[in-house]
PDB file of all heavy atoms in Angstrom:
ATOM      1  N   PHE F 217      89.676 110.868 103.556  1.00  0.00           N
ATOM      2  CA  PHE F 217      88.835 111.336 104.647  1.00  0.00           C
ATOM      3  C   PHE F 217      89.624 112.329 105.574  1.00  0.00           C
ATOM      4  O   PHE F 217      89.115 113.408 105.862  1.00  0.00           O
ATOM      5  CB  PHE F 217      88.318 110.193 105.495  1.00  0.00           C
ATOM      6  CG  PHE F 217      86.948 109.717 105.103  1.00  0.00           C
ATOM      7  CD1 PHE F 217      86.706 108.453 104.615  1.00  0.00           C
ATOM      8  CD2 PHE F 217      85.867 110.581 105.192  1.00  0.00           C
ATOM      9  CE1 PHE F 217      85.438 108.019 104.280  1.00  0.00           C
ATOM     10  CE2 PHE F 217      84.593 110.172 104.865  1.00  0.00           C
ATOM     11  CZ  PHE F 217      84.396 108.936 104.378  1.00  0.00           C
ATOM     12  N   LEU F 219      92.266 114.051 104.977  1.00  0.00           N
ATOM     13  CA  LEU F 219      92.636 115.333 104.331  1.00  0.00           C
ATOM     14  C   LEU F 219      91.363 116.187 104.179  1.00  0.00           C
ATOM     15  O   LEU F 219      91.423 117.400 104.367  1.00  0.00           O
ATOM     16  CB  LEU F 219      93.245 115.069 102.952  1.00  0.00           C
ATOM     17  CG  LEU F 219      94.590 114.348 103.012  1.00  0.00           C
ATOM     18  CD1 LEU F 219      95.152 114.125 101.623  1.00  0.00           C
ATOM     19  CD2 LEU F 219      95.571 115.191 103.853  1.00  0.00           C
ATOM     20  N   SER F 220      90.236 115.541 103.872  1.00  0.00           N
ATOM     21  CA  SER F 220      89.019 116.290 103.691  1.00  0.00           C
ATOM     22  C   SER F 220      88.540 116.917 105.000  1.00  0.00           C
ATOM     23  O   SER F 220      88.071 118.060 105.041  1.00  0.00           O
ATOM     24  CB  SER F 220      87.926 115.384 103.114  1.00  0.00           C
ATOM     25  OG  SER F 220      86.664 115.913 103.294  1.00  0.00           O
ATOM     26  N   ILE F 221      88.703 116.152 106.104  1.00  0.00           N
ATOM     27  CA  ILE F 221      88.313 116.703 107.417  1.00  0.00           C
ATOM     28  C   ILE F 221      89.189 117.897 107.771  1.00  0.00           C
ATOM     29  O   ILE F 221      88.713 118.967 108.228  1.00  0.00           O
ATOM     30  CB  ILE F 221      88.394 115.626 108.520  1.00  0.00           C
ATOM     31  CG1 ILE F 221      87.331 114.551 108.286  1.00  0.00           C
ATOM     32  CG2 ILE F 221      88.181 116.230 109.878  1.00  0.00           C
ATOM     33  CD1 ILE F 221      87.455 113.373 109.194  1.00  0.00           C
ATOM     34  N   ILE F 222      90.484 117.728 107.512  1.00  0.00           N
ATOM     35  CA  ILE F 222      91.390 118.843 107.843  1.00  0.00           C
ATOM     36  C   ILE F 222      91.049 120.075 107.009  1.00  0.00           C
ATOM     37  O   ILE F 222      91.024 121.196 107.527  1.00  0.00           O
ATOM     38  CB  ILE F 222      92.868 118.426 107.572  1.00  0.00           C
ATOM     39  CG1 ILE F 222      93.252 117.255 108.506  1.00  0.00           C
ATOM     40  CG2 ILE F 222      93.777 119.588 107.819  1.00  0.00           C
ATOM     41  CD1 ILE F 222      94.613 116.687 108.213  1.00  0.00           C
ATOM     42  N   ARG F 223      90.765 119.832 105.754  1.00  0.00           N
ATOM     43  CA  ARG F 223      90.537 120.983 104.866  1.00  0.00           C
ATOM     44  C   ARG F 223      89.208 121.656 105.155  1.00  0.00           C
ATOM     45  O   ARG F 223      89.076 122.865 105.058  1.00  0.00           O
ATOM     46  CB  ARG F 223      90.562 120.516 103.399  1.00  0.00           C
ATOM     47  CG  ARG F 223      90.821 121.645 102.440  1.00  0.00           C
ATOM     48  CD  ARG F 223      91.099 121.133 101.030  1.00  0.00           C
ATOM     49  NE  ARG F 223      92.120 120.151 100.981  1.00  0.00           N
ATOM     50  CZ  ARG F 223      91.979 118.978 100.313  1.00  0.00           C
ATOM     51  NH1 ARG F 223      90.864 118.678  99.766  1.00  0.00           N
ATOM     52  NH2 ARG F 223      92.975 118.119 100.290  1.00  0.00           N
ATOM     53  N   ASN F 224      88.190 120.882 105.504  1.00  0.00           N
ATOM     54  CA  ASN F 224      86.835 121.444 105.565  1.00  0.00           C
ATOM     55  C   ASN F 224      86.347 121.838 106.976  1.00  0.00           C
ATOM     56  O   ASN F 224      85.336 122.505 107.092  1.00  0.00           O
ATOM     57  CB  ASN F 224      85.840 120.496 104.914  1.00  0.00           C
ATOM     58  CG  ASN F 224      86.018 120.406 103.457  1.00  0.00           C
ATOM     59  OD1 ASN F 224      86.116 121.413 102.766  1.00  0.00           O
ATOM     60  ND2 ASN F 224      86.104 119.180 102.920  1.00  0.00           N
ATOM     61  N   THR F 225      87.040 121.372 108.015  1.00  0.00           N
ATOM     62  CA  THR F 225      86.533 121.699 109.342  1.00  0.00           C
ATOM     63  C   THR F 225      87.660 122.299 110.144  1.00  0.00           C
ATOM     64  O   THR F 225      88.806 122.406 109.681  1.00  0.00           O
ATOM     65  CB  THR F 225      86.069 120.475 110.076  1.00  0.00           C
ATOM     66  OG1 THR F 225      87.205 119.689 110.423  1.00  0.00           O
ATOM     67  CG2 THR F 225      85.135 119.620 109.264  1.00  0.00           C
ATOM     68  N   ILE F 227      88.712 120.951 112.831  1.00  0.00           N
ATOM     69  CA  ILE F 227      89.369 119.849 113.535  1.00  0.00           C
ATOM     70  C   ILE F 227      90.802 119.719 113.022  1.00  0.00           C
ATOM     71  O   ILE F 227      91.019 119.696 111.837  1.00  0.00           O
ATOM     72  CB  ILE F 227      88.597 118.540 113.348  1.00  0.00           C
ATOM     73  CG1 ILE F 227      87.225 118.634 113.961  1.00  0.00           C
ATOM     74  CG2 ILE F 227      89.368 117.377 113.947  1.00  0.00           C
ATOM     75  CD1 ILE F 227      86.336 117.482 113.662  1.00  0.00           C
TER      76      ILE F 227
ATOM     77  N   THR L 354      83.038 115.170 116.911  1.00  0.00           N
ATOM     78  CA  THR L 354      81.673 115.402 116.450  1.00  0.00           C
ATOM     79  C   THR L 354      81.044 116.610 117.127  1.00  0.00           C
ATOM     80  O   THR L 354      80.487 117.489 116.459  1.00  0.00           O
ATOM     81  CB  THR L 354      80.799 114.146 116.705  1.00  0.00           C
ATOM     82  OG1 THR L 354      81.501 112.991 116.287  1.00  0.00           O
ATOM     83  CG2 THR L 354      79.483 114.232 115.966  1.00  0.00           C
ATOM     84  N   LEU L 357      82.075 119.960 115.963  1.00  0.00           N
ATOM     85  CA  LEU L 357      81.454 120.472 114.730  1.00  0.00           C
ATOM     86  C   LEU L 357      80.100 121.100 115.005  1.00  0.00           C
ATOM     87  O   LEU L 357      79.535 121.775 114.130  1.00  0.00           O
ATOM     88  CB  LEU L 357      81.307 119.338 113.703  1.00  0.00           C
ATOM     89  CG  LEU L 357      82.594 118.758 113.176  1.00  0.00           C
ATOM     90  CD1 LEU L 357      82.294 117.576 112.278  1.00  0.00           C
ATOM     91  CD2 LEU L 357      83.383 119.787 112.448  1.00  0.00           C
ATOM     92  N   LEU L 358      79.567 120.828 116.194  1.00  0.00           N
ATOM     93  CA  LEU L 358      78.185 121.217 116.482  1.00  0.00           C
ATOM     94  C   LEU L 358      78.075 122.467 117.378  1.00  0.00           C
ATOM     95  O   LEU L 358      77.042 123.137 117.374  1.00  0.00           O
ATOM     96  CB  LEU L 358      77.415 120.074 117.080  1.00  0.00           C
ATOM     97  CG  LEU L 358      77.266 118.819 116.196  1.00  0.00           C
ATOM     98  CD1 LEU L 358      76.673 117.713 117.008  1.00  0.00           C
ATOM     99  CD2 LEU L 358      76.456 119.143 114.980  1.00  0.00           C
ATOM    100  N   LEU L 401      79.784 106.878 112.105  1.00  0.00           N
ATOM    101  CA  LEU L 401      78.576 107.256 111.366  1.00  0.00           C
ATOM    102  C   LEU L 401      78.067 108.625 111.875  1.00  0.00           C
ATOM    103  O   LEU L 401      77.762 109.526 111.085  1.00  0.00           O
ATOM    104  CB  LEU L 401      77.488 106.228 111.560  1.00  0.00           C
ATOM    105  CG  LEU L 401      76.325 106.287 110.596  1.00  0.00           C
ATOM    106  CD1 LEU L 401      76.785 106.001 109.197  1.00  0.00           C
ATOM    107  CD2 LEU L 401      75.233 105.323 111.018  1.00  0.00           C
ATOM    108  N   LEU L 402      78.029 108.773 113.207  1.00  0.00           N
ATOM    109  CA  LEU L 402      77.563 110.086 113.766  1.00  0.00           C
ATOM    110  C   LEU L 402      78.509 111.198 113.345  1.00  0.00           C
ATOM    111  O   LEU L 402      78.051 112.307 113.006  1.00  0.00           O
ATOM    112  CB  LEU L 402      77.502 109.994 115.301  1.00  0.00           C
ATOM    113  CG  LEU L 402      76.272 109.305 115.878  1.00  0.00           C
ATOM    114  CD1 LEU L 402      76.246 109.483 117.395  1.00  0.00           C
ATOM    115  CD2 LEU L 402      75.002 109.890 115.273  1.00  0.00           C
ATOM    116  N   PHE L 403      79.811 110.884 113.347  1.00  0.00           N
ATOM    117  CA  PHE L 403      80.766 111.895 112.963  1.00  0.00           C
ATOM    118  C   PHE L 403      80.535 112.293 111.508  1.00  0.00           C
ATOM    119  O   PHE L 403      80.525 113.520 111.150  1.00  0.00           O
ATOM    120  CB  PHE L 403      82.188 111.423 113.140  1.00  0.00           C
ATOM    121  CG  PHE L 403      83.207 112.462 112.667  1.00  0.00           C
ATOM    122  CD1 PHE L 403      83.543 113.510 113.496  1.00  0.00           C
ATOM    123  CD2 PHE L 403      83.803 112.309 111.415  1.00  0.00           C
ATOM    124  CE1 PHE L 403      84.473 114.435 113.050  1.00  0.00           C
ATOM    125  CE2 PHE L 403      84.699 113.278 111.009  1.00  0.00           C
ATOM    126  CZ  PHE L 403      85.054 114.329 111.815  1.00  0.00           C
ATOM    127  N   LEU L 404      80.317 111.298 110.675  1.00  0.00           N
ATOM    128  CA  LEU L 404      80.129 111.523 109.244  1.00  0.00           C
ATOM    129  C   LEU L 404      78.853 112.432 109.068  1.00  0.00           C
ATOM    130  O   LEU L 404      78.882 113.390 108.263  1.00  0.00           O
ATOM    131  CB  LEU L 404      79.940 110.217 108.537  1.00  0.00           C
ATOM    132  CG  LEU L 404      79.913 110.277 107.006  1.00  0.00           C
ATOM    133  CD1 LEU L 404      81.294 110.721 106.492  1.00  0.00           C
ATOM    134  CD2 LEU L 404      79.521 108.974 106.395  1.00  0.00           C
ATOM    135  N   LEU L 405      77.795 112.114 109.797  1.00  0.00           N
ATOM    136  CA  LEU L 405      76.572 112.924 109.701  1.00  0.00           C
ATOM    137  C   LEU L 405      76.856 114.380 110.093  1.00  0.00           C
ATOM    138  O   LEU L 405      76.464 115.300 109.396  1.00  0.00           O
ATOM    139  CB  LEU L 405      75.502 112.356 110.640  1.00  0.00           C
ATOM    140  CG  LEU L 405      74.849 111.063 110.138  1.00  0.00           C
ATOM    141  CD1 LEU L 405      73.823 110.602 111.155  1.00  0.00           C
ATOM    142  CD2 LEU L 405      74.164 111.316 108.807  1.00  0.00           C
ATOM    143  N   ALA L 406      77.595 114.564 111.183  1.00  0.00           N
ATOM    144  CA  ALA L 406      77.921 115.921 111.592  1.00  0.00           C
ATOM    145  C   ALA L 406      78.815 116.585 110.556  1.00  0.00           C
ATOM    146  O   ALA L 406      78.671 117.770 110.255  1.00  0.00           O
ATOM    147  CB  ALA L 406      78.602 115.924 112.941  1.00  0.00           C
ATOM    148  N   PHE L 407      79.764 115.820 110.040  1.00  0.00           N
ATOM    149  CA  PHE L 407      80.699 116.337 109.044  1.00  0.00           C
ATOM    150  C   PHE L 407      79.944 116.843 107.828  1.00  0.00           C
ATOM    151  O   PHE L 407      80.254 117.904 107.277  1.00  0.00           O
ATOM    152  CB  PHE L 407      81.673 115.214 108.685  1.00  0.00           C
ATOM    153  CG  PHE L 407      82.678 115.589 107.628  1.00  0.00           C
ATOM    154  CD1 PHE L 407      83.569 116.648 107.826  1.00  0.00           C
ATOM    155  CD2 PHE L 407      82.788 114.875 106.477  1.00  0.00           C
ATOM    156  CE1 PHE L 407      84.491 116.988 106.874  1.00  0.00           C
ATOM    157  CE2 PHE L 407      83.731 115.178 105.529  1.00  0.00           C
ATOM    158  CZ  PHE L 407      84.578 116.242 105.744  1.00  0.00           C
ATOM    159  N   LEU L 408      78.908 116.150 107.455  1.00  0.00           N
ATOM    160  CA  LEU L 408      78.146 116.556 106.273  1.00  0.00           C
ATOM    161  C   LEU L 408      77.110 117.604 106.619  1.00  0.00           C
ATOM    162  O   LEU L 408      76.961 118.616 105.912  1.00  0.00           O
ATOM    163  CB  LEU L 408      77.481 115.336 105.625  1.00  0.00           C
ATOM    164  CG  LEU L 408      78.418 114.302 105.027  1.00  0.00           C
ATOM    165  CD1 LEU L 408      77.584 113.108 104.511  1.00  0.00           C
ATOM    166  CD2 LEU L 408      79.229 114.885 103.887  1.00  0.00           C
ATOM    167  N   PHE L 409      76.358 117.378 107.683  1.00  0.00           N
ATOM    168  CA  PHE L 409      75.128 118.204 107.864  1.00  0.00           C
ATOM    169  C   PHE L 409      75.103 119.089 109.090  1.00  0.00           C
ATOM    170  O   PHE L 409      74.064 119.623 109.421  1.00  0.00           O
ATOM    171  CB  PHE L 409      73.914 117.225 107.941  1.00  0.00           C
ATOM    172  CG  PHE L 409      73.795 116.342 106.763  1.00  0.00           C
ATOM    173  CD1 PHE L 409      73.940 114.956 106.851  1.00  0.00           C
ATOM    174  CD2 PHE L 409      73.573 116.887 105.499  1.00  0.00           C
ATOM    175  CE1 PHE L 409      73.857 114.127 105.767  1.00  0.00           C
ATOM    176  CE2 PHE L 409      73.468 116.068 104.385  1.00  0.00           C
ATOM    177  CZ  PHE L 409      73.605 114.709 104.505  1.00  0.00           C
ATOM    178  N   ALA L 410      76.225 119.216 109.786  1.00  0.00           N
ATOM    179  CA  ALA L 410      76.195 120.114 110.944  1.00  0.00           C
ATOM    180  C   ALA L 410      75.698 121.489 110.513  1.00  0.00           C
ATOM    181  O   ALA L 410      76.107 122.005 109.486  1.00  0.00           O
ATOM    182  CB  ALA L 410      77.603 120.239 111.566  1.00  0.00           C
ATOM    183  N   ARG L 413      78.846 124.067 110.510  1.00  0.00           N
ATOM    184  CA  ARG L 413      80.156 123.667 110.046  1.00  0.00           C
ATOM    185  C   ARG L 413      80.151 122.466 109.135  1.00  0.00           C
ATOM    186  O   ARG L 413      81.222 121.985 108.760  1.00  0.00           O
ATOM    187  CB  ARG L 413      81.061 123.439 111.222  1.00  0.00           C
ATOM    188  CG  ARG L 413      81.075 124.557 112.171  1.00  0.00           C
ATOM    189  CD  ARG L 413      82.134 124.426 113.222  1.00  0.00           C
ATOM    190  NE  ARG L 413      82.107 125.617 114.074  1.00  0.00           N
ATOM    191  CZ  ARG L 413      82.715 126.743 113.795  1.00  0.00           C
ATOM    192  NH1 ARG L 413      83.421 126.859 112.698  1.00  0.00           N
ATOM    193  NH2 ARG L 413      82.647 127.752 114.620  1.00  0.00           N
ATOM    194  N   GLY L 414      78.981 121.925 108.861  1.00  0.00           N
ATOM    195  CA  GLY L 414      78.946 120.750 107.974  1.00  0.00           C
ATOM    196  C   GLY L 414      79.255 121.115 106.541  1.00  0.00           C
ATOM    197  O   GLY L 414      79.062 122.280 106.155  1.00  0.00           O
ATOM    198  N   ILE L 415      79.758 120.158 105.786  1.00  0.00           N
ATOM    199  CA  ILE L 415      80.116 120.444 104.384  1.00  0.00           C
ATOM    200  C   ILE L 415      78.917 120.942 103.612  1.00  0.00           C
ATOM    201  O   ILE L 415      79.036 121.911 102.858  1.00  0.00           O
ATOM    202  CB  ILE L 415      80.668 119.178 103.740  1.00  0.00           C
ATOM    203  CG1 ILE L 415      82.076 118.884 104.256  1.00  0.00           C
ATOM    204  CG2 ILE L 415      80.705 119.305 102.265  1.00  0.00           C
ATOM    205  CD1 ILE L 415      82.767 117.835 103.507  1.00  0.00           C
ATOM    206  N   VAL L 416      77.794 120.295 103.794  1.00  0.00           N
ATOM    207  CA  VAL L 416      76.588 120.675 103.045  1.00  0.00           C
ATOM    208  C   VAL L 416      76.167 122.118 103.339  1.00  0.00           C
ATOM    209  O   VAL L 416      75.929 122.910 102.432  1.00  0.00           O
ATOM    210  CB  VAL L 416      75.441 119.726 103.291  1.00  0.00           C
ATOM    211  CG1 VAL L 416      74.167 120.205 102.618  1.00  0.00           C
ATOM    212  CG2 VAL L 416      75.795 118.337 102.785  1.00  0.00           C
ATOM    213  N   SER L 417      76.189 122.473 104.642  1.00  0.00           N
ATOM    214  CA  SER L 417      75.759 123.803 104.969  1.00  0.00           C
ATOM    215  C   SER L 417      76.779 124.857 104.525  1.00  0.00           C
ATOM    216  O   SER L 417      76.412 125.960 104.165  1.00  0.00           O
ATOM    217  CB  SER L 417      75.434 123.966 106.465  1.00  0.00           C
ATOM    218  OG  SER L 417      76.197 123.097 107.221  1.00  0.00           O
ATOM    219  N   ILE L 418      78.065 124.455 104.529  1.00  0.00           N
ATOM    220  CA  ILE L 418      79.073 125.375 104.042  1.00  0.00           C
ATOM    221  C   ILE L 418      78.858 125.635 102.546  1.00  0.00           C
ATOM    222  O   ILE L 418      78.830 126.793 102.079  1.00  0.00           O
ATOM    223  CB  ILE L 418      80.481 124.820 104.296  1.00  0.00           C
ATOM    224  CG1 ILE L 418      80.814 124.860 105.764  1.00  0.00           C
ATOM    225  CG2 ILE L 418      81.518 125.643 103.509  1.00  0.00           C
ATOM    226  CD1 ILE L 418      82.131 124.180 106.092  1.00  0.00           C
TER     227      ILE L 418
END
Side-chain angles (χ1 to χ4, degrees):
Chain F
F217 262 118
L219 295 179
S220 162
I221 293 172
I222 296 172
R223 200 172 306 130
N224 291 311
T225 71
I227 295 172
Chain L
T354 312
L357 294 176
L358 298 172
L401 194 66
L402 281 187
F403 177 80
L404 190 66
L405 286 178
F407 178 57
L408 293 177
F409 304 114
R413 308 190 179 276
I415 284 191
V416 172
S417 31
I418 290 174

